[in-house]
Amino acid sequence: MLKKICCCCCILVVVLGALSGTGWFVIRQFSPSKSVIYKVTDASLTRFNLTAANNTIQYNLSLNMTVENPNKWNDFHYENFEAVASYKNQDLSNSSLAPFRVGHKNSFVLTPSFEGQRLVALSNDEVSNFRNSTVFDIVLKLYFKYWTKIGAVKINKELQMACYFEVPLSSGGKSAEKFDSTKCDKA
Ligand SMILES: *[C@@H]1O[C@H](CO)[C@@H](O)[C@H](O)[C@H]1NC(C)=O
Ligand SMILES: *[C@@H]1O[C@H](CO)[C@@H](O)[C@H](O)[C@H]1NC(C)=O
Ligand SMILES: *[C@@H]1O[C@H](CO)[C@@H](O)[C@H](O)[C@H]1NC(C)=O
Ligand SMILES: *[C@@H]1O[C@H](CO)[C@@H](O)[C@H](O)[C@H]1NC(C)=O
Ligand SMILES: *[C@@H]1O[C@H](CO)[C@@H](O)[C@H](O)[C@H]1NC(C)=O
Ligand SMILES: *[C@@H]1O[C@H](CO)[C@@H](O)[C@H](O)[C@H]1NC(C)=O
C-alpha cells in the first residue's frame, strides 16, 4: 500500500516536472527575449538661431528614426509615443506620434520634427559657445507605452529612452558633415 502511494508520488513529480519544463520552454521561446532597438538615423537642422536680446532659440529640426524589432514571434504596439527634443537640458518642444505597430523581425520608420521658438536660459559661456558652433548637441527624449503578447497574454509596458547626438547646422540645404546614426538608451 505504502509502496503504491510512493510510486504515484514519483509519477506525479515526474509529470509535473515535465509540464513545468515544457511550459518554461514555451514561454521562453515565445517571449520577447531581445530588446527593441531605437535609433536616430538621420537629422537635419536647418535653423538654430539664438537671439540674445530676448534669449530665444529659433529652431527647425527634423529627424529620421527606426524602431527595430529583432524578436521572432512578438509584435509591438506603440501608443502615446512622445518625442521631446532638448538642448542644454532645456526642452525645445514635443512631437506626438500617431500609434504604430512594429511586426516581428521588422522595423518601422518615424519622422518627428520640431519647429518653433523657445525661451532659454543660457550662461554667458554657453552663449559665446553657441555663437561659434556649427554643430549642436541635441538630446532626444522618448516617452511611450507599448504592448505585446506572449501567446494570449497581453503585456503592457511604459518606457523612457534618451538619444544623444550631434547635429551640424545645414546652410543652403547642405550640411557640412555626415550624421552618425545613434542608438538610444534607457533613461
Ligand atoms: C529621412 O528619410 C527621408 C526618406 O527616406 C529622406 O528623404 C530624408 O532626407 C531623411 N532625412 C531627414 C532628416 O528627414
Ligand atoms: C539667424 O540670425 C542671424 C542674425 O543673428 C540672421 O542674420 C540670420 O538670417 C538668422 N538665420 C535664420 C535661419 O533665421
Ligand atoms: C525674439 O527676437 C527675434 C529677432 O528679433 C524675433 O524674430 C522673435 O520673434 C523674438 N521672439 C520672442 C519670443 O519674442
Ligand atoms: C523647417 O524645415 C522644413 C524642411 O526641413 C521646411 O519645410 C520648413 O519650411 C522649415 N520651417 C521654417 C520655419 O523654416
Ligand atoms: C512633453 O512630453 C512630456 C512627456 O510626455 C510631458 O511631460 C510634457 O508635459 C509635454 N510637454 C508639452 C509642451 O506637451
Ligand atoms: C569664437 O569666435 C570668435 C570670433 O568670432 C573668436 O575670437 C573666439 O576665439 C572663438 N572662441 C572659441 C572658443 O573658439
Side-chain angles (χ1 to χ4, degrees):
M1 187 62 182
L2 203 64
K3 231 179 185 173
K4 230 180 191 169
I5 292 174
C6 213
C7 189
C8 274
C9 279
C10 275
I11 289 171
L12 201 66
V13 165
V14 169
V15 167
L16 281 181
L19 274 180
S20 60
T22 311
W24 179 81
F25 177 79
V26 167
I27 288 173
R28 215 184 118 88
Q29 182 69 19
F30 292 96
S31 290
S33 54
K34 294 175 182 148
S35 301
V36 173
I37 301 157
Y38 304 85
K39 267 193 215 157
V40 179
T41 53
D42 197 13
S44 156
L45 188 63
T46 52
R47 189 181 206 191
F48 210 61
N49 244 21
L50 175 66
T51 307
N54 57 12
N55 287 317
T56 305
I57 290 181
Q58 291 172 314
Y59 55 90
N60 193 354
L61 170 68
S62 49
L63 303 175
N64 281 358
M65 297 187 61
T66 56
V67 181
E68 270 172 58
N69 176 6
N71 291 287
K72 237 196 273 182
W73 302 103
N74 313 89
D75 296 351
F76 286 76
H77 300 255
Y78 289 84
E79 285 155 11
N80 303 10
F81 199 105
E82 195 92 33
V84 184
S86 68
Y87 175 74
K88 302 275 177 211
N89 261 332
Q90 306 185 55
D91 292 351
L92 297 175
S93 58
N94 284 14
S95 173
S96 305
L97 301 171
F100 60 96
R101 171 184 154 269
V102 189
H104 50 277
K105 289 265 179 205
N106 215 331
S107 67
F108 192 85
V109 175
L110 298 171
T111 55
S113 64
F114 308 89
E115 187 186 326
Q117 53 178 295
R118 176 78 189 177
L119 202 66
V120 289
L122 299 176
S123 67
N124 287 341
D125 275 359
E126 285 173 333
V127 169
S128 68
N129 249 328
F130 193 108
R131 296 267 174 252
N132 282 20
S133 299
T134 53
V135 175
F136 296 93
D137 294 313
I138 302 288
V139 181
L140 185 73
K141 295 181 270 184
L142 306 175
Y143 305 85
F144 54 87
K145 283 183 184 164
Y146 69 82
W147 61 267
T148 185
K149 273 183 172 175
I150 302 176
V153 183
K154 191 170 164 181
I155 296 163
N156 289 292
K157 280 230 166 90
E158 224 177 310
L159 209 58
Q160 274 185 39
M161 312 277 295
C163 332
Y164 299 83
F165 52 91
E166 292 186 328
V167 198
L169 183 62
S170 52
S171 48
K174 267 198 221 148
S175 105
E177 289 157 60
K178 198 176 159 291
F179 182 77
D180 290 323
S181 181
T182 307
K183 219 175 127 183
C184 307
D185 299 307
K186 251 180 212 166

